[in-house]
Structures are given as structure tokens and as C-alpha cells.
Amino acid sequence: MKLITVPYADRLRKHIDATVAFALQEDLEDIGDVTAALIPEDQMASAHIIIREDAVFCGRAWLDTVFKQLDDRVTVQWKCGDGDTLTANSVVCELTGPARSLLTGERTALNFVQTLSGTATLARRYAEAARPHHVTVLDTRKTLPGLRLAQKYAVFVGGCQNHRLGLYDTYLIKENHIAAAGGISAAIQRAQDLRSTQLIVVEVETFAEYQEAVEAGADRIMLDELSESDLQKVIAQGGDIPLESSGNFDLEKVELAKTPYVSVGSLTKHVRAVDYSMRFLNDN
């Protein structure tokens, strides 16, 4: 599998194998591709995949895995890699192998590539909008069910950064945790007692909550839609604890963030698929 290096690469490779197997099972069940069976079993074919709009490509390992799991006689010759900016009507890759297998894998492969390319393309736009303002854009857990690591990877490919991968790798103490734990200080103290290597991130909504989080020893503080006056107080106070903004940031608003980090749920939640198509070639 050809992947851009991420800290969770080993976990991601297992995730790819599992999600591809699940996606193929959705299509094939225990019967198989009845339409592809109309083609002679020994018929070989070549095809290419074309991108129909300008976009950032992502999903090479997913496409490779689809055809590897279906039929190891299929070969893929790549013309691009994850993170490449492609222009409309460019050839992404060429495939050769049994016609049945190419037909069976077509939609599953394109479903992964179109979704991950859409995520990477949107992430690239955010990264470019934030760069002049020295802001790092983070994703969230608002991902497509079952495709968490895939979309996190696509965000990274697009040039933004990953927040926590799941509930296990960071303490993210939000308003409901604060209410249930009996306050910000109590929640942070409990996290400090329990954690191994996890960061402790606390979401605050007022300057008073910010001060409490600082005094209790949070590792990072998330400012959730603070009033302008409270935000100015936080900025004026300074300090060494990294700050993150959250709450309804979009491409137009990301430049308004006054913190080093801003988390944006729409990176993975509002993704629009990129248009790809596969076309058979008349050389077999």
C-alpha cells in the first residue's frame, strides 16, 4: 500500500483491509456480481480511471486493495499519488486484468477515491486559507461512520492536521463532562490521575472557565464561541498553554481565528465527492 506517512500508518493499513472487505461484501453478498457474469470468464481488458474535475487526489491504497482482494491478476499503473493536485480529465491510473474483476471492483474503488479526494480537496482549501494567518486547521470526530481513519488520513493529505483519532487518545473535556464530573477543576484532576500519555484538552465558554482550566493544569484549551470581550481577555492574558478555537468556523471565517489552532467539523462532515469515472479501452 502506498501511503503518505502518518503516525497511525499501521492501524490505517488494517483499517483499509477491513473497510474494503466490508464494502465488497455489501456489493457481492454470497452470490457475486451477476451482471459481470455476462462477460466470458477468461476475457481480459484494460481500463483507465479519469478525474472529471480539478481536485486533490487521495485514495490510492484503497483502490489497490479493492482489486487485490478481488483478483490479484489485476495490475494498476498509477499516474499520480495521494496529495497531487489534478486537473479535470486527467488519467489517474490504468488497470489491466480480467474484465469481470474490473467491472466488479469499479464502483467500490471509485466510492473510496471520490470520498477521500473530496475530503483532501476541502482540507487543501482550508490549509491554504489559514496559512497566511499562521493558523493550523484541525479536524474533528464528525466523520462518516466506519471511515474515521480514512477521512483523517485524507485531511492530513490535504494539508490540515488531525485532532484526536478517537475517544481513547485524548481527554477532551466538554460541557457535559464538566457538568457530570462536578466542574472543570475536578474533571482535570481526575484526568491527571488516570492518564498515561494522553493530552488533556478542555473546552471553555467564558473567560472565568478559561482561568479555571489554566489553574487546574490543562494541556490545551479550546475556546468555544467566546464573546468578543472574553476572547480579548484571553488573548491579553497570554500564557504557555496552546489555544484552540472552535464553533462554526468555515473557509471565510478561518482567517478570523485568533488562536494557533482552529477545529473545523465541516472538513469531514460536509464533504462532497469528487467526480471520477472508469472507461474500458479498446485494446483487448
Side-chain angles (χ1 to χ4, degrees):
M1 295 182 192
K2 184 69 173 178
L3 292 168
I4 290 177
T5 302
V6 289
Y8 45 91
D10 290 343
R11 186 179 300 149
L12 181 59
R13 290 185 180 94
K14 295 177 182 177
H15 174 78
I16 293 169
D17 288 337
T19 53
V20 166
F22 181 81
L24 288 173
Q25 179 63 22
E26 281 186 317
D27 260 342
L28 300 176
E29 284 295 334
D30 297 323
I31 297 172
D33 184 347
V34 296
T35 313
L38 301 174
I39 312 302
E41 186 175 1
D42 59 354
Q43 181 172 323
M44 303 296 286
S46 295
H48 58 206
I49 291 176
I50 303 167
I51 189 169
R52 298 301 188 183
E53 57 185 299
D54 296 351
V56 176
F57 177 77
C58 186
R60 177 168 165 168
W62 283 261
L63 186 145
D64 281 339
T65 303
V66 166
F67 289 104
K68 179 181 178 182
Q69 290 191 9
L70 271 177
D71 191 334
D72 60 11
R73 292 172 294 174
V74 174
T75 60
V76 184
Q77 183 178 0
W78 285 99
K79 308 296 184 182
C80 67
D82 289 347
D84 289 349
T85 300
L86 304 181
T87 56
N89 299 314
S90 299
V91 174
V92 172
C93 64
E94 296 180 354
L95 305 98
T96 303
R100 284 188 180 183
S101 298
L102 296 183
L103 291 165
T104 297
E106 174 184 358
R107 177 42 53 197
T108 301
L110 294 185
N111 281 350
F112 282 114
V113 171
Q114 71 186 20
T115 301
L116 299 185
S117 295
T119 303
T121 300
L122 185 57
R124 181 70 54 83
R125 291 175 185 154
Y126 270 94
E128 291 174 350
R131 188 175 298 114
H133 308 283
H134 307 289
V135 173
T136 297
V137 180
L138 304 172
D139 56 22
T140 72
R141 287 172 52 244
K142 297 174 182 177
T143 52
L144 298 175
L147 289 180
R148 168 73 55 75
L149 281 185
Q151 282 196 285
K152 292 276 188 178
Y153 171 77
V155 165
F156 188 87
V157 165
C160 294
Q161 297 295 315
N162 300 141
H163 209 297
R164 57 179 178 166
L165 300 181
L167 296 173
Y168 55 88
D169 62 348
T170 300
Y171 286 92
L172 181 48
I173 301 170
K174 305 182 78 170
E175 58 182 346
N176 287 333
H177 301 97
I178 293 167
I184 289 174
S185 298
I188 292 176
Q189 182 61 61
R190 183 63 174 153
Q192 290 170 338
D193 292 342
L194 292 173
R195 71 169 167 182
S196 52
T197 60
Q198 296 96 334
L199 285 178
I200 300 174
V201 182
V202 182
E203 179 186 74
V204 302
E205 299 178 346
T206 66
F207 179 64
E209 289 183 349
Y210 164 78
Q211 288 183 305
E212 184 178 356
V214 170
E215 292 169 4
D219 296 318
R220 190 160 81 211
I221 298 176
M222 179 189 295
L223 310 178
D224 184 32
E225 299 189 46
L226 265 66
S227 68
E228 186 62 29
S229 61
D230 277 1
L231 179 59
Q232 292 303 324
K233 290 178 185 177
V234 170
I235 300 302
Q237 180 166 310
D240 298 326
I241 299 177
L243 301 178
E244 172 188 340
S245 297
S246 70
N248 298 318
F249 279 93
D250 56 23
L251 275 171
E252 288 69 36
K253 294 179 182 177
V254 71
E255 66 183 43
L256 302 177
K258 296 180 175 65
T259 56
Y261 299 96
V262 57
S263 52
V264 179
S266 60
L267 275 178
T268 50
K269 185 176 64 170
H270 296 163
V271 61
R272 182 188 68 81
V274 170
D275 189 11
Y276 287 89
S277 63
M278 178 190 285
R279 291 292 181 267
F280 271 48
L281 304 174
N282 297 317
D283 60 355
N284 287 281

